[in-house]
Amino acid sequence: MKRNKMVAVCAIVLGGMLIFQGCGKAESTADAAAKSNTELADSIESKETTESEEATESSDVKETTETAKATEVSEPDENTSEEKNTESQRKPDSSKTDLATPAVAGALRVEKTQLVDCNGNTVQLKGLSTHGLAWFPDYINEECFRQFREEWNVNVIRLAMYTAEGGGYCTDGNRENLKTLVRSGVEYATRQDMYVIIDWHTLSDNNPNAYIEEAKAFFAEMSEEYQDYNNVIYEICNEPNGGTSWNDIKSYALQVIETIRANDDDGIILVGTPNWSQYVDQAAADPITGYDNIMYTLHFYAATHTDWLRDSMKAAIADGLPIFVSEYGICDASGNGAIDEYQAEQWIKTMDDCDVSYVAWNISNKNETSAIFNSSCKKVSGFSESDLSASGKWLYRMLTEETDVILAGNDEKSHSSAASGNGQKSESNMVSGSEGKQDSNEVSESGQKTENKSADDSKVVLNSGSLSVTTQVKNSWESEGKTFYQYELTIENTSDVNCDKWEIDLLFNGDIAFSDGWNGDYSVDGNALHITCKDYNGSITAGERIGDIGFIVSGEQDLGVVE
C-alpha cells in the first residue's frame, strides 16, 4: 500500500514574494536532509568538525586499499544553510525541464519509456559517477559536489560502491565505512539539490546472485533510511557479465526490488542488463512486471561501442523499455585508450533525442583516460582547467555547452589537442568519421608512447569455407601489466548461396583473455577465440558482407591473429 504523499505545491504568493516548494516524497529537501542527518549522527561516532573539513580519517578503522584508504567522511553540519541557487529553483516552463533538480522536479517516476517529474514533464538527468568509494573516498565532500552542481550543470551523482574488488563491500571492505560514505554522499547531493544514485557496483563477481543476501540486506537498510527522500535512486546491479543471463538477472532483481518496495514504494530502481549492461534487447523481450518505476541500464564506451549499440538502444526504447545510461565513457571499454570524440558526440545526440539520462565515468585522478582529473591533481575540490584530463574537459564542455573550459576563476582557454589519461598530451588525434580512425602513435596509461601497428599491418584476411573474415586491430594499450587489443571484424559471404548462420574460430600466437565483445557470442580456449553469430546478424546474403563485430582481448605484447 503506497504511503500518502504531500500534494506538490508549485508556487505560493505570500506578502508579494514568490516562494517555490518542489513536489515529492519529503516535505522539503531541507526537511529530508535534516531527517537523515539525525539518522546519520546515530551511526557515526560524534566528533567536532567544521563545514570546511572534506573528509576525516576514521580513528578506529584504517582499511588500506590498492590506491587509497577508505576514510570516514565528516558528518554534514546541521546548521548549514539550505538556501538553494535561485536559478535551479525556477519552475519548468516547457514540457521538458532543462535542468531537473529535486527542488523543481520533485520525486521522479517512469511513464512508458520516459523519466518524468512530479508534473508529468519529461526530464533528463545528466551527471557524473564516482570511482570506487573505497579507493577514492575524498571526493565525497560537499564542496566537490557543489562545484559539479553549480559549474558543471550536473543534476545527478552516482555513488559507485564495489561489491567484490579490493575493499569491496562483500569481500574485504569495511562495510560501516562504506555505508558512511554512501550516507554522506546522499546528504551532500541532497543539500546541493541533486539526485543521487546508490550503486551496488557488481563487476568481477559477474553474477549478482553471488551476493544476493548481502544485496537484499543493504538495500533494505538504504530504502528504510531514504524512503521519504525525493532524490534517491537505487541501482541494484552494475554490470552483470561472464555469461550471466537475463533470467539470472531478472530472478535477482525481483527479490531485491521486493525488498526495496517493502520500504520505498515508488523510488526509481535501475536494473543492469547482460554483457556489461549492453544487451537491453533481452530485457525488452522479457521485462520485469508487477512493479512501477523500474528502468534498465545501458553502458557504453564510445571508442568501442558504436552504431550497433545505439541502434539496439533505440530498438529497445521503441519496444517500450525505459533505459537509463548509468555509466559511459568517451574512450574504449577498458576505461582507457584513445578518446573518440566523433562517436561520443553521436551518443550524446542520440541520448538527447531519446530523452535518455546519462552519467559519465569517473570522478577520480586514477591514471586512466576515463578519469576526469589528471593523475597529478591532488585536489578534492576547487578544480580548475589545469586539473582536468582530456575526458574531463570534453565532459565539462558538453555538460555546460561552453566552447572553452573556465573553472574556479581560471580563464585559461582549453586547447583542441587531446591529453592522455595521465594528463600528458597525446600524439594520437582522433579523426571525425564513422570508424573513429586514429594515428598509430599513442600514449599508454603509464605515459609511455606505444607504437601500434598501422592499419594495413594489423589487418589479417582469413578464409573459412564460403566466408572471408577480415580482422583488424583498431586500438591497443597497456594497463596493469597487460596489453589489450581491440579488434573489429568484417565477414563476407564469398559464395553464391545465402548464409543463414555463421561461426568462426580465430587463432592467436599466444594465449588470450577475453575482456569484451559485441554483436557475437564469444568463448576462449587457450589461444583460440570461438565466435558465433547473434540472432539478428546470422544471415549474410551471397556476395554481401557484415561488420560492426568486435572484441577486446589481452595477452602478451605483439599478440596477433595467426593467418
Side-chain angles (χ1 to χ4, degrees):
M1 178 176 180
K2 287 183 176 290
R3 299 181 303 279
N4 293 326
K5 298 292 177 67
M6 179 193 70
V7 176
V9 178
C10 292
I12 301 174
V13 178
L14 180 61
M17 296 181 63
L18 183 66
I19 302 175
F20 180 85
Q21 180 171 331
C23 32
K25 297 181 179 180
E27 295 181 358
S28 70
T29 304
D31 289 343
K35 176 179 183 292
S36 186
N37 285 345
T38 301
E39 295 171 348
L40 181 60
D42 293 337
S43 65
I44 306 174
E45 180 182 358
S46 297
K47 56 180 70 180
E48 292 295 321
T49 61
T50 64
E51 178 104 11
S52 63
E53 285 181 291
E54 295 163 352
T56 303
E57 185 178 335
S58 171
S59 62
D60 55 351
V61 180
K62 296 182 179 180
E63 290 287 317
T64 303
T65 66
E66 176 181 340
T67 59
K69 289 188 289 185
T71 59
E72 182 178 7
V73 175
S74 55
E75 179 182 350
D77 188 346
E78 296 183 50
N79 296 320
T80 298
S81 170
E82 298 297 335
E83 183 176 319
K84 306 297 180 187
N85 183 297
T86 56
E87 177 68 14
S88 71
Q89 300 245 352
R90 69 185 185 279
K91 181 180 178 180
D93 55 5
S94 65
S95 61
K96 179 178 177 180
T97 305
D98 290 332
L99 186 63
T101 64
V104 174
L108 305 180
R109 66 181 188 272
V110 179
E111 287 189 0
K112 297 183 178 178
T113 63
Q114 298 298 315
L115 195 60
V116 303
D117 67 10
C118 60
N119 295 315
N121 297 324
T122 299
V123 300
Q124 234 183 330
L125 301 186
K126 301 179 182 180
L128 301 170
S129 175
T130 71
H131 206 303
L133 294 181
W135 306 330
F136 299 96
D138 291 344
Y139 294 102
I140 308 302
N141 71 82
E142 189 162 7
E143 177 57 26
C144 177
F145 285 19
R146 182 208 61 76
Q147 190 171 17
F148 289 141
R149 169 67 184 84
E150 294 182 1
E151 297 184 31
W152 292 60
N153 290 345
V154 162
N155 61 354
V156 61
I157 291 286
R158 179 182 187 234
L159 305 173
M161 188 187 73
Y162 279 79
T163 54
E165 276 66 25
Y169 186 87
C170 299
T171 52
D172 59 344
N174 184 287
R175 294 187 180 185
E176 292 307 312
N177 273 12
L178 290 168
K179 285 189 288 189
T180 293
L181 287 163
V182 169
R183 291 184 177 109
S184 296
V186 170
E187 295 312 316
Y188 297 142
T190 300
R191 293 192 342 200
Q192 292 304 317
D193 198 20
M194 293 190 289
Y195 293 94
V196 59
I197 300 171
I198 299 175
D199 167 33
W200 185 257
H201 202 84
T202 54
L203 191 63
S204 66
D205 33 348
N206 299 337
N207 191 323
N209 287 290
Y211 297 112
I212 188 170
E213 294 306 321
E214 290 86 346
K216 289 161 63 176
F218 174 81
F219 282 108
E221 188 173 350
M222 293 296 111
S223 60
E224 183 177 11
E225 290 186 31
Y226 300 120
Q227 59 182 298
D228 292 324
Y229 279 45
N230 66 359
N231 64 327
V232 173
I233 297 170
Y234 310 96
E235 184 171 2
I236 63 175
C237 54
N238 166 59
E239 288 185 353
N241 61 84
T244 302
S245 70
W246 172 242
N247 285 338
D248 291 335
I249 299 167
K250 187 176 180 182
S251 172
Y252 163 88
L254 286 169
Q255 296 180 63
V256 177
I257 291 170
E258 181 181 16
T259 298
I260 294 172
R261 287 291 181 254
N263 296 316
D264 188 338
D265 56 22
D266 56 6
I268 303 296
I269 298 175
L270 308 181
V271 181
T273 55
N275 199 50
W276 292 278
S277 285
Q278 293 170 30
Y279 290 170
V280 290
D281 56 314
Q282 296 182 12
D286 183 24
I288 292 167
T289 59
Y291 296 98
D292 296 326
N293 291 343
I294 307 299
M295 304 189 81
Y296 303 82
T297 63
L298 180 143
H299 292 179
F300 73 84
Y301 283 80
T304 299
H305 309 117
T306 57
D307 292 342
W308 62 272
L309 191 54
R310 285 194 292 273
D311 290 344
S312 181
M313 181 183 76
K314 290 186 288 186
I317 293 172
D319 288 340
L321 194 74
I323 288 179
F324 194 115
V325 175
S326 60
E327 181 180 318
Y328 73 94
I330 63 174
C331 54
D332 63 49
S334 72
N336 220 331
I339 290 172
D340 192 331
E341 291 193 6
Y342 173 80
Q343 289 296 335
E345 289 163 1
Q346 297 308 302
W347 270 107
I348 297 300
K349 180 180 185 302
T350 301
M351 292 187 293
D352 286 345
D353 289 346
C354 296
D355 292 321
V356 170
S357 297
Y358 44 88
V359 179
W361 182 264
N362 67 79
I363 302 170
S364 81
N365 65 346
K366 185 178 180 182
N367 196 9
E368 64 182 12
T369 309
S370 59
I372 68 172
F373 302 121
N374 293 326
S375 61
S376 59
C377 174
K378 305 307 179 185
K379 299 177 184 176
V380 293
S381 64
F383 307 106
S384 61
E385 178 186 1
S386 61
D387 300 320
L388 301 184
S389 67
S391 288
K393 291 175 182 177
W394 189 94
L395 288 167
Y396 176 86
R397 287 193 293 265
M398 182 273 294
L399 289 166
T400 62
E401 299 183 352
E402 295 285 347
T403 303
D404 298 311
V405 179
I406 304 175
L407 292 174
N410 187 329
D411 59 358
E412 179 185 355
K413 306 300 183 184
S414 63
H415 303 288
S416 58
S417 57
S420 68
N422 64 0
Q424 296 180 354
K425 183 177 176 183
S426 171
E427 297 181 25
S428 139
N429 296 317
M430 302 306 296
V431 179
S432 294
S434 60
E435 294 184 0
K437 189 181 294 183
Q438 62 189 59
D439 292 342
S440 60
N441 293 334
E442 295 186 352
V443 175
S444 70
E445 180 184 10
S446 62
Q448 299 299 315
K449 188 169 73 173
T450 60
E451 300 291 333
N452 286 346
K453 295 179 180 180
S454 68
D456 290 338
D457 290 341
S458 69
K459 186 180 294 185
V460 175
V461 179
L462 306 170
N463 293 311
S464 177
S466 61
L467 300 179
S468 175
V469 181
T470 301
T471 73
Q472 186 173 3
V473 177
K474 302 297 292 185
N475 195 9
S476 66
W477 62 93
E478 301 291 329
S479 179
E480 298 180 353
K482 301 177 184 178
T483 304
F484 288 81
Y485 301 84
Q486 177 186 335
Y487 275 86
E488 289 189 4
L489 306 183
T490 302
I491 303 176
E492 182 179 3
N493 183 355
T494 57
S495 74
D496 55 3
V497 178
N498 293 342
C499 170
D500 295 326
K501 184 177 181 180
W502 56 264
E503 58 181 21
I504 57 177
D505 288 292
L506 301 180
L507 296 180
F508 291 79
N509 58 0
D511 287 349
I512 58 173
F514 179 77
S515 294
D516 196 7
W518 49 98
N519 288 343
D521 291 321
Y522 299 80
S523 61
V524 172
D525 183 8
N527 69 331
L529 178 64
H530 183 68
I531 312 172
T532 57
C533 64
K534 305 295 291 185
D535 293 339
Y536 51 80
N537 67 354
S539 177
I540 310 176
T541 304
E544 298 296 324
R545 68 180 62 187
I546 62 170
D548 285 334
I549 304 165
F551 57 88
I552 297 173
V553 294
S554 62
E556 299 295 329
Q557 289 187 354
D558 298 323
L559 185 74
V561 173
V562 177
E563 297 186 44

